[in-house]
Structure formats: C-alpha cells, structure tokens
Amino acid sequence: MTESRPRRPRRLRRVAVLVLEGAKPLDVGIPAQVFSTRASMPYEVRVCGAAPGLVTGGDGLSYGVAHGLEALEWAETVFLPGYRHPDREDPPAEVVAALRTAHARGARLAAISTGAFALAATGLLEGRRATTHWHYTRALAERHPGVRVDENVLFVDEGTVLTSAGAASGIDLCLHILRRDLGVAASHHTARRLVAAPYRSGGQAQYVPRAVPEPLGERFAATREWALRHLGEPLSLGVLARHAAVSARTFSRRFADDTGYTPMEWVTRVRIDAARALLERSDRGVEQIAVEVGLGTGANLRLHFQRVLGTSPSEYRRTFSRGEPGEHDGRDGHNGRSGHDGREGQNTRDGRNARDDPRD
C-alpha cells in the first residue's frame, strides 16, 4: 500500500492595508475584501494604522485596527487607501519613513485614489507616472511637481509602485495585481465573485463628462459580448461594425472612446487573454490554442505574447499552470510589469458576464 504524501501547505502572500486619518470606507474595503483569505486566495491581510487602536475615518466611520506600522515590515504588498483632504498635509513622518523602509525591503506599494498623495510623500513617485482621483490630479501635480500625473487613466503600474484613480478603479488595480501574481484565471474568478468587469483598461479615461446620453453604449457592449463568443472566427472592423449596425468609421471612433483601444487592438488582446486561460487550465498545444482563439498559428500567438506580455506561451504555461487559483507559484508570466498604464487583457466594461459565486 502506497503511503500518501501529505499536501504541502501553501504559502500565503502578505498584504497590509494602511488606514490613515480620514480614510474612505470603499478604498479601505476593496483590497481588504479582494485579498481576504479564502480557499481560492493565497493571501493574508492585515489592516493597520500608524498605531493599533481607533482611526478616525471619513464619511462618519472609524476603524479599529489591530496592527501598527510593524505590519509594513511584515507585508509584501502595502495598500494605501484614499483619505480626505490629502492636499493639506503629508502623513506623519513615521508613516512616510515606514513606507520607504518597506519599499527598500522589496515590498510593492499600491495607492487607491488619494492614497497617491501618501505614496508621493515618500518620494518614490518622483520622475514616475501616477494617477489619482480626477478631482485631485491638479493638486497632486502642484504639491509634487516631480510626479508625472496622468489624469486620463484608471491605474498606472510602475513596477513596485502603483496608483489608481477613484474607488471603483481600485477594483481594477486589485484585479491587475492578481493577474500579475496568479494569472488571468484567478483574476477572472475573483471578478466573478465581486460581480465586477474582469478587465477595464488602465488606459481608459476615468472621467468623461457628456452633455447628452450615449445611445450606442448598450449596442457596443452587446457587440463585445458577441465577439467574445466568436473569437475563433474572422473579426474584422467591418464584421464588428455590421454587428453593431453602424458604419466602420463610427464604430472605430466610438469603440476607442468606450474601451481605450481601437477595435483591432481589443480583439487581439481578448484573444491573448483567452489563450492565457487555455494555457493555464488545459493541456492543449500552442498551435491548437492559436486556432481556437483566432490567432491562426502558433508563430502568430508567440509573436503577440512577446509583444503584449513580454514572454512566450510555453514560459507563461510553466509559470501559471499550477492547478486551481490559489495554488500558483505566483511568478510573473511577463516581466513584473504589464505596461505603465496596465493595458493588458480584455475589457467588457458592462460586466454582464460576471456572476456572484457565494460559495467562495
């Protein structure tokens, strides 16, 4: 009788959520919930403050945090949620110093919304691109002129420092980090659990005021959904425009406004995303996958993988095909960054494919 080998316990990735005075409830809750310890998520989350105890938040809420700045010494990823009046003064000196020390040790720092002001106070954003809530982009640029503030994106990935716009884009940033850590299947699993769109482009504009309603929005969303179900078929600009019942010129212009990509860029990227999922969860060969997702040949698939992800399909499979979400080794399938504005993967925006799975 063969003795079964005990299952090696998985290593939990360490995430700290730093709550500052005036912290906004959604900004605190998003990373705490996305990375909460569960069967499908190999993370441990500690919510901390400048010191253990009660932290006065924004919007009438306060937070009882069990950990102080020692959590930043423990963490591999530190989230800085947004807080009220970030343009008035920097966080306490001991908080800024602890963030610098954590980063020097190798921790990844990720700011949500106005948390970018706390991150900028460390000096780690100097000479780098960053974003924040659109209402505060000018204030961030004025307070920290060395930061290249981009008000037209949802999030910016600069490797070990990341920033996002308002609270909803904090979800996009968290899902982006999950893709980096665990692969696209784990990210999509979490998006379904949150009933969130699996991918919104980091380069998508965060705020576009419009004087009149947009009558084509639902029609274009339906075309994107249809395209996702027909990736193995020819999907030219003309085919997509005919499905949406508009001219190719109108479709191309409006599609870019809606998603942050040209139609053909979007098609290529969702095909790459579909290939990633098949590489993670099946044993199909590269040639077969290329045909199934509409990229034609293995050579074409390799070309696009290298251009978009900075890696090969075989290396991506070795990195991420480690079983179900939560059992990956988490190495980046690309090079630790997926572009300065997170442009990677697919964007359905309306999220109609997302369904809540209460089981996990």
Side-chain angles (χ1 to χ4, degrees):
M1 179 177 180
T2 304
E3 184 178 350
S4 62
R5 194 180 309 176
R7 186 181 181 88
R8 184 177 64 181
R10 62 180 180 173
R11 184 186 75 82
L12 296 181
R13 298 164 185 271
R14 302 186 296 274
V15 173
V17 180
L18 177 60
V19 181
L20 300 174
E21 293 290 326
K24 298 178 180 179
L26 276 176
D27 295 15
V28 173
I30 287 167
Q33 180 172 355
V34 169
F35 295 94
S36 60
T37 304
R38 61 182 68 230
S40 61
M41 295 292 289
Y43 293 89
E44 179 182 353
V45 179
R46 294 182 183 178
V47 181
C48 65
L54 197 65
V55 179
T56 302
D59 302 309
L61 297 179
S62 295
Y63 308 88
V65 300
H67 304 279
L69 294 177
E70 75 281 352
L72 273 58
E73 302 173 9
W74 163 86
E76 297 167 308
T77 300
V78 178
F79 279 94
L80 291 80
Y83 52 97
R84 289 195 171 279
H85 312 304
D87 51 340
R88 294 184 181 177
E89 60 183 17
D90 290 338
E94 62 270 22
V95 171
V96 173
L99 288 169
R100 287 195 189 114
T101 300
H103 183 265
R105 180 178 50 78
R108 174 173 54 190
L109 307 184
I112 295 176
S113 187
T114 56
F117 282 79
L119 186 51
T122 67
L124 296 171
L125 292 180
E126 288 294 307
R128 288 171 157 162
R129 287 179 65 239
T131 193
T132 188
H133 190 285
W134 61 267
H135 184 75
Y136 283 97
T137 51
R138 180 175 297 181
L140 180 62
E142 291 175 351
R143 190 170 182 85
H144 300 280
V147 179
R148 295 187 288 126
V149 180
D150 190 342
E151 65 180 0
N152 294 314
V153 295
L154 294 180
F155 61 85
V156 176
D157 180 347
E158 285 280 345
T160 58
V161 288
L162 303 92
T163 52
S164 73
S169 63
I171 297 177
D172 300 307
L173 179 63
C174 289
L175 293 176
H176 170 73
I177 288 173
L178 279 177
R179 276 189 296 277
R180 280 182 49 172
D181 286 356
L182 305 179
V184 68
S187 175
H188 284 187
H189 176 84
T190 299
R192 288 193 299 272
R193 175 167 56 85
L194 297 174
V195 197
Y199 197 90
R200 294 199 300 166
S201 162
Q204 182 180 315
Q206 57 170 297
Y207 178 71
V208 182
R210 299 191 187 276
V212 295
E214 292 295 330
L216 298 178
E218 285 302 314
R219 192 186 307 175
F220 278 38
T223 296
R224 291 195 299 273
E225 296 288 349
W226 174 83
L228 289 173
R229 295 192 297 271
H230 296 82
L231 291 179
E233 303 171 16
L235 293 175
S236 65
L237 175 59
V239 168
L240 295 172
R242 281 194 297 275
H243 185 275
V246 296
S247 71
R249 182 177 179 181
T250 296
F251 186 85
S252 185
R253 174 177 54 82
R254 282 293 315 280
F255 194 95
D257 290 343
D258 209 24
T259 68
Y261 297 112
T262 69
M264 291 302 94
E265 286 175 338
W266 183 85
V267 168
T268 297
R269 289 173 180 269
V270 296
R271 282 172 165 163
I272 292 171
D273 216 20
R276 291 168 71 182
L278 289 172
L279 287 166
E280 291 175 25
R281 292 189 160 185
S282 79
D283 58 0
R284 294 180 180 88
V286 170
E287 294 290 340
Q288 183 181 358
I289 289 174
V291 171
E292 287 190 28
V293 303
L295 288 174
T297 66
N300 199 30
L301 177 60
R302 293 183 188 94
L303 176 66
H304 287 299
F305 251 65
Q306 191 63 48
R307 180 176 61 84
V308 175
L309 302 178
T311 190
S312 67
S314 57
E315 179 59 29
Y316 185 88
R317 169 169 273 165
R318 280 193 294 271
T319 299
F320 289 113
S321 60
R322 307 291 185 185
E324 292 302 311
E327 296 182 6
H328 303 293
D329 67 357
R331 294 173 294 162
D332 271 348
H334 36 95
N335 54 12
R337 296 166 62 178
S338 57
H340 295 286
D341 61 2
R343 285 174 175 260
E344 175 192 37
Q346 74 182 47
N347 180 350
T348 61
R349 289 195 70 196
D350 64 358
R352 287 189 294 173
N353 276 347
R355 297 184 180 274
D356 193 16
D357 186 351
R359 293 172 296 177
D360 57 0

